[in-house]
Amino acid sequence: MPLGYVKFPYQATYPGDNEVTADSIFSGITTFARLPWSQCLTDKTADFDIAFLGAPFDTGTSYRPGARFGPSGIRAGSRRLTLYGGYNVPLETNPFKMLKVVDCGDIPVTPYDNARAIQQIEDGHKELLHRTPYSPLGNDSLTGQPLIPLSLDGKHHPRVITLGGDHTIVLPLLRSIYSAYGAISVIHFDSHLDTWKPSVFGGSDSKGIGGGALNHGTYFYWASQEGLINNGSSIASHGAIRTTLSGPADYENDDTAGFKRIEAREIDTLGVDGIVAKIRETVGDKPVYLSIDIDSIDPAFAPATGTPETGGWSTRELRAIIRGLDGLHIVSADIVEVAPAYDTNAELTTMAAADVLFEVLGIMAKTPLGKVASKA
């Protein structure tokens, strides 16, 4: 066990206010933000409030492969997140001190059989999602009344932040989420729709997930077909949608899948606050799943991705928009399509991905997944 860790609770000893910081962040094994490494998938007794979990899968890509190395790259980019202690100034919180957060390593994913890999990802995520959280749900901060879980199964679940991998992994992740929450609202940051019909994107009508029908451009189509998405309560590709299309029918299909769009260029007229307002108006206070494609950020800031599109948002803009989601009930999240082989020597993309997740982590820590019984 690395120096500076304590076993009970199994949490890194991050410095607090006015304590010594800037320890050697480049030593030891590389976990997300130097979190404790827990063998969650094999140790059935391991508990946590939030777990980071890698899904190194990239055989659903249409252009540049390499996202199977995304989990390790994002972890490397996160090393300096706690250099000064981990306190998030805009969100006024230190998530590393509020909850038990661990790095559970990676799901063992085969690169030879897509159908098997998809099942492995669903099983791995579901195994962690159905653990008993380390911390109790607690009471409402305003009324003092006990909180009850938001899940449909009536249980309090921990949260899992998945490190992709290409965006195909979201279909098995949503299947896992459905097992606890039912059909879920989705906030999706991306430059692409990802609701394409398989006959258009991949050239296959087959329902088998081992072929071209399921890939990183069709997984939301299948999620909608399977009833995993709360249609009409979703934001699709609002994180800088700016892709070319096969034609207007792609948008019609996107509408049918239940998604609403915010184009990348709308930030020039709406600004960050306007983008946030449109998202919050759509999802309301429903439980929500957050999926972030790193290509929502312009390649000037995050070049290491499978299908880069110019004209995107800056890292600063995306982080500000995510902070604007403060108070939403984000049940789990992912960041995908980070392909470190295309990054700069300065690790621009992997650092951007880690910093985006730092904002997500802060929101999760501040907002418990519960509601007052009288408001149920």
Side-chain angles (χ1 to χ4, degrees):
M1 187 175 298
L3 293 175
Y5 289 126
V6 291
K7 189 173 182 179
F8 301 106
Y10 194 50
Q11 176 65 52
T13 54
Y14 293 114
D17 194 21
N18 204 33
E19 294 180 355
V20 175
T21 64
D23 290 332
S24 177
I25 61 171
F26 40 80
S27 60
I29 61 172
T30 304
T31 61
F32 188 88
R34 303 176 66 210
L35 286 166
W37 173 53
S38 179
Q39 295 178 319
C40 312
L41 293 173
T42 55
D43 181 3
K44 305 298 183 180
T45 66
D47 57 4
F48 43 83
D49 296 310
I50 300 175
F52 285 86
L53 180 66
F57 172 93
D58 69 355
T59 48
T61 55
S62 57
Y63 188 47
R64 301 193 305 198
R68 68 182 64 184
F69 300 105
S72 58
I74 296 167
R75 289 185 176 104
S78 73
R79 284 176 296 199
R80 26 139 300 276
L81 276 179
T82 54
L83 175 62
Y84 307 111
Y87 182 79
N88 188 315
V89 176
L91 289 176
E92 299 180 334
T93 188
N94 189 332
F96 302 105
K97 284 186 167 292
M98 292 181 66
L99 298 173
K100 183 177 180 181
V101 189
V102 301
D103 189 327
C104 289
D106 291 350
I107 301 170
V109 177
T110 177
Y112 306 113
D113 185 335
N114 279 14
R116 175 60 180 155
I118 293 301
Q119 190 62 53
Q120 288 175 312
I121 294 168
E122 179 183 348
D123 292 344
H125 189 276
K126 190 180 295 183
E127 170 65 30
L128 301 190
L129 182 67
H130 287 273
R131 296 280 172 88
T132 299
Y134 175 81
S135 302
L137 192 52
N139 298 329
D140 181 64
S141 59
L142 295 178
T143 65
Q145 298 181 51
L147 295 173
I148 62 173
L150 295 171
S151 61
L152 289 186
D153 63 9
K155 298 178 181 179
H156 179 33
H157 294 272
R159 289 183 265 205
V160 182
I161 298 176
T162 308
L163 311 176
D166 76 52
H167 227 147
T168 313
I169 69 169
V170 170
L171 180 62
L173 297 182
L174 288 177
R175 288 171 174 167
S176 173
I177 292 294
Y178 186 87
S179 70
Y181 294 93
I184 195 78
S185 293
V186 174
I187 298 176
H188 174 218
F189 291 93
D190 202 319
S191 62
H192 306 97
L193 295 174
D194 294 356
T195 54
W196 277 284
K197 292 181 178 180
S199 58
V200 173
F201 199 102
S204 174
D205 284 315
S206 170
K207 292 186 177 181
I209 62 173
L214 174 60
N215 54 59
H216 73 164
T218 65
Y219 63 92
F220 269 141
Y221 170 85
W222 292 116
S224 177
Q225 292 290 307
E226 294 181 18
L228 306 178
I229 299 173
N230 190 359
N231 285 3
S233 299
S234 299
I235 288 284
S237 301
H238 70 80
I241 177 67
R242 57 194 188 276
T243 183
T244 57
L245 305 175
S246 67
D250 289 345
Y251 273 0
E252 296 172 7
N253 182 63
D254 194 55
D255 294 339
T256 302
F259 284 85
K260 298 181 181 179
R261 294 176 297 278
I262 301 177
E263 306 280 348
R265 60 183 181 272
E266 291 187 66
I267 201 167
D268 296 327
T269 54
L270 298 178
V272 168
D273 291 343
I275 299 293
V276 170
K278 290 189 70 171
I279 298 169
R280 300 185 72 101
E281 180 182 358
T282 301
V283 301
D285 60 355
K286 304 176 183 69
V288 64
Y289 183 86
L290 175 60
S291 183
I292 306 168
D293 191 320
I294 195 65
D295 72 20
S296 57
I297 301 176
D298 191 276
F301 305 94
T305 188
T307 316
E309 303 282 359
T310 61
W313 293 346
S314 69
T315 309
R316 181 180 65 187
E317 289 166 340
L318 180 58
R319 293 183 66 177
I321 290 169
I322 291 176
R323 287 195 298 269
L325 307 181
D326 187 15
L328 295 186
H329 295 106
I330 300 174
V331 302
S332 280
D334 66 69
I335 195 161
V336 297
E337 299 287 354
V338 175
Y342 312 112
D343 213 352
T344 69
N345 290 337
E347 301 176 306
L348 292 181
T349 311
T350 56
M351 285 195 299
D355 288 344
V356 165
L357 290 184
F358 179 59
E359 307 293 359
V360 174
L361 185 62
I363 294 172
M364 288 182 171
K366 291 181 65 177
T367 310
L369 294 180
K371 57 188 175 183
V372 177
S374 60
K375 298 180 181 180

